């Protein structure tokens, strides 16, 4: 499977296009420095970690915060996103906090885990409706970027790939047909 096939499948799973897909297809280009002036503070990373942890909380497997998804998001946005996508991402961080203020009368960081979850469920529904009706030239909903980066960062991290998914460091030969039992984890390798 090549990157285009992988990207198509990820986009199909997520129900649309992948924001920052250029990073998937071309990798991070060292010649283009998109984010030289873009700096995230430790508070920004903590905020993004809490958003990601609300999307993928710790259960019997590590959560998104254990996988340092917030830090992953900042690296991808800073090094791989084009300037317009960086701007949309930063505006999205503010919009999400504004939505929390409107719904819960407190910032996202001050909200309880239940309030955070309810807010993100509402935003996910809003993003799905928005992305279905938007024109191709319109940007995607900001929550879609947070969700996609969370899934990408988590399932490509060591905790996500080895604890949430099944992982074999040296898989050996290819077996194209393995019986699946309901409840089995997907394969990372």
């Amino acid at each position: 499977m090549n990157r285009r096939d992988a990207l198509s499948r990820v986009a199909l799973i997520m129900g649309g296009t992948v924001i920052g897909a250029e990073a998937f297809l071309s990798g991070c280009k060292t010649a283009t420095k998109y984010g030289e002036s873009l700096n995230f503070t430790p508070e920004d990373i903590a905020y993004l970690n809490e958003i990601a942890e609300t999307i993928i909380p710790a259960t019997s497997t590590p959560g998104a915060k254990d996988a340092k998804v917030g830090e992953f998001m900042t690296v991808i946005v800073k090094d791989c996103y084009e300037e317009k996508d960086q701007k949309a991402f930063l505006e999205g961080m503010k919009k999400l906090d504004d939505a929390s203020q409107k719904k819960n009368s407190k910032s996202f960081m001050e909200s309880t885990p239940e309030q955070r979850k309810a807010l993100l469920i509402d935003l996910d529904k809003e993003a799905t409706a928005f992305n279905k009706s938007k024109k191709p030239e319109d940007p995607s909903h900001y929550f879609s970027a947070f969700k996609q980066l969370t899934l990408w960062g988590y399932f490509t991290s060591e905790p996500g790939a080895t604890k949430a998914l099944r992982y074999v460091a040296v898989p050996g030969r290819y077996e194209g047909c393995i019986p699946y039992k309901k409840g089995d984890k997907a394969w990372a390798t």
Side-chain angles (χ1 to χ4, degrees), residues 22-49:
E22 183 62 26
F24 277 121
L25 294 174
S26 62
C28 293
K29 297 175 186 171
T30 53
T32 306
K33 298 286 185 192
Y34 294 123
E36 288 182 26
S37 63
L38 183 64
N39 289 314
F40 288 95
T41 65
E43 291 78 22
D44 292 335
I45 293 171
Y47 175 53
L48 293 170
N49 268 329

Side-chain angles (χ1 to χ4, degrees), residues 4 12 36 51-52 57 59-60 62 78 81 90 94 100 103 116 123 127 159 170 181:
R4 289 194 188 280
L12 185 63
E36 288 182 26
I51 294 170
T59 56
S60 60
K78 183 176 178 179
Y81 272 26
L90 293 173
K94 178 159 180 13
S100 180
K103 183 175 177 76
R116 292 175 180 180
L123 289 176
V170 183
K181 291 182 232 154

Side-chain angles (χ1 to χ4, degrees), residues 53 56-66 154:
E53 184 73 13
I56 303 178
T59 56
S60 60
T61 59
K65 209 180 327 183
D66 296 320
Y154 182 74

